Amino acid sequence: MAAGESTEKASLLHNERLRLLVCFIGVFICYFYYGILQETITRGDYRQGDKEEKFTYATTLVCIQCIINAFFAKILIQFFEHSKPDHTRSWLYGVCSLSYLGAMVSSNSALQYVNYPTQVLGKSCKPIPVMLLGVTILRKKYPLSKYLCVLLIVTGVALFMYKPKKGVTSDDEHLFGFGEMLLLLSLTLDGLTGVAQDHMRAHYQTGSNHMMLNVNLWSTLVLGVGVLWTGEVWEFLSFADRYPSIVYNILLFGLTSAVGQTFIFMTVVYFGPLTCSIITTTRKFFTILGSVLLFGNVMSGMQWVGTILVFLGLGLDARFGKAPKKTTN
């Protein structure tokens, strides 16, 4: 009886559909709370008497986040993968972290030139460069159904989030400006990050915790040099001394980021960067859809069409989107 129960548990642990569901729920819950904490920190009320201040230390915040992520990954390796060696080249981790940070900086910088909905719409196309660069650089082969599923999901998210401007646009507005170029750069770097991660999986069988540890160590190194060079870290410490309550929020922010990244890198290692990008894209959609339904907001016809396309794409991807497994003779 005991042997039968252990076999059943083992089969559950190796059930890909269950593992994918756990990854999706983990990413959704962690980054939902992560977003709340991020807004609490960056847009909080910081006031001493008549003096009101704003939080302007985004680079230091991300650096602290990377430190906590690396520390968390090290603990996971110590307890669960202590005997498992990592043969991945250090330069690959460096390239991955640089493209990851570059994509994040580019998308955040784009907000100076485009509005937030435009930025979200641009980033919702993330699965496309991940797929295209994987095909062109790594010669990956996806089933035709995968292309259709990605197209349906990206189109659905775009339709759901798109809000047309009212009124007539002025002549001086341009269709493709510097902000859009930054978004294009961010998407390209997202694709290169996916290529680097796919290369690690294919050639070195890199574990999720080792990938998380080393990418965050490299990111900490780059960001640490940046905040020391600009002196931002000392200004941040002075700010934290004036408002000590922020320390608790930042630690909680780092913890939710670390747990969320654990699920992110687990998804990358077991299912690939493309599936991971689909999950992170649909997470935004479900967050907004949930807020619309919970607060009784009326959905437009375009949003209903977008919702149907997203669910149709996810359903088709779950049924037909997986490439057939290679058999060895």
Side-chain angles (χ1 to χ4, degrees):
M1 186 73 177
E5 289 179 357
S6 62
T7 304
E8 185 178 350
K9 287 180 179 179
S11 63
L12 282 174
L13 288 173
H14 291 87
N15 187 310
E16 285 198 354
R17 290 182 184 276
L18 180 61
R19 183 181 284 161
L20 183 61
L21 180 63
V22 169
C23 288
F24 178 82
I25 294 174
V27 169
F28 183 88
I29 293 174
C30 291
Y31 281 101
F32 179 79
Y33 193 39
Y34 169 92
I36 294 174
L37 288 167
Q38 187 178 40
E39 188 165 1
T40 302
I41 294 167
T42 57
R43 304 187 67 177
D45 183 21
Y46 302 105
R47 189 189 302 270
Q48 282 186 338
D50 295 332
K51 184 182 179 182
E52 186 176 354
E53 297 182 72
K54 290 184 178 181
F55 185 89
T56 57
Y57 314 102
T59 306
T60 304
L61 180 64
V62 176
C63 185
I64 295 172
Q65 176 185 342
C66 291
I67 292 171
I68 296 174
N69 289 343
F71 183 70
F72 190 79
K74 184 66 177 177
I75 292 174
L76 291 176
I77 291 171
Q78 196 68 29
F79 279 93
F80 300 107
E81 299 180 27
H82 185 63
S83 59
K84 184 180 178 181
D86 180 29
H87 301 293
T88 310
R89 304 294 184 187
S90 294
W91 67 267
L92 261 177
Y93 287 129
V95 169
C96 191
S97 65
L98 286 175
S99 59
Y100 165 74
L101 289 174
M104 184 165 54
V105 170
S106 299
S107 62
N108 289 337
S109 299
L111 286 172
Q112 299 177 30
Y113 305 95
V114 300
N115 55 30
Y116 183 71
T118 302
Q119 191 237 33
V120 173
L121 279 173
K123 292 297 285 183
S124 70
C125 300
K126 181 180 175 180
I128 294 177
V130 172
M131 174 180 280
L132 291 180
L133 288 178
V135 170
T136 55
I137 297 177
L138 297 179
R139 306 298 181 187
K140 292 198 68 168
K141 293 183 179 179
Y142 296 102
L144 183 60
S145 56
K146 192 64 143 179
Y147 292 95
L148 174 62
C149 297
V150 169
L151 182 62
L152 286 172
I153 292 169
V154 169
T155 304
V157 173
L159 287 175
F160 188 86
M161 295 181 178
Y162 177 67
K163 292 181 179 179
K165 292 181 180 179
K166 295 181 180 180
V168 182
T169 57
S170 59
D171 295 336
D172 58 329
E173 287 188 0
H174 42 264
L175 294 175
F176 199 83
F178 189 63
E180 287 79 6
M181 288 177 65
L182 285 171
L183 283 175
L184 184 60
L185 174 62
S186 177
L187 289 171
T188 304
L189 291 171
D190 280 331
L192 291 175
T193 302
V195 168
Q197 290 172 334
D198 259 331
H199 186 76
M200 291 183 212
R201 293 174 65 227
H203 294 272
Y204 301 101
Q205 290 76 49
T206 310
S208 58
N209 295 324
H210 283 102
M211 189 184 292
M212 178 178 171
L213 170 66
N214 288 282
V215 168
N216 279 286
L217 283 177
W218 275 93
S219 300
T220 300
L221 177 63
V222 174
L223 292 170
V225 170
V227 296
L228 286 172
W229 179 267
T230 60
E232 182 183 303
V233 64
W234 312 119
E235 296 175 13
F236 165 77
L237 290 174
S238 177
F239 184 88
D241 184 58
R242 292 193 298 274
Y243 306 99
S245 61
I246 198 176
V247 176
Y248 172 77
N249 285 332
I250 288 177
L251 291 175
L252 200 55
F253 171 78
L255 181 61
T256 55
S257 167
V259 178
Q261 269 207 8
T262 302
F263 288 109
I264 288 283
F265 281 103
M266 192 185 301
T267 307
V268 169
V269 166
Y270 286 112
F271 303 101
L274 179 60
T275 300
C276 184
S277 65
I278 290 174
I279 286 178
T280 54
T281 298
T282 53
R283 174 193 67 81
K284 297 174 184 178
F285 163 77
F286 279 113
T287 301
I288 297 174
L289 177 63
S291 67
V292 169
L293 296 177
L294 286 173
F295 293 103
N297 296 317
V298 179
M299 289 175 61
S300 66
M302 186 180 292
Q303 285 182 316
W304 277 114
V305 172
T307 302
I308 293 169
L309 288 178
V310 169
F311 279 108
L312 180 61
L314 290 173
L316 290 173
D317 187 52
R319 180 67 181 86
F320 304 107
K322 185 180 292 186
K325 291 185 177 181
K326 295 179 181 179
T327 56
T328 55
N329 295 327

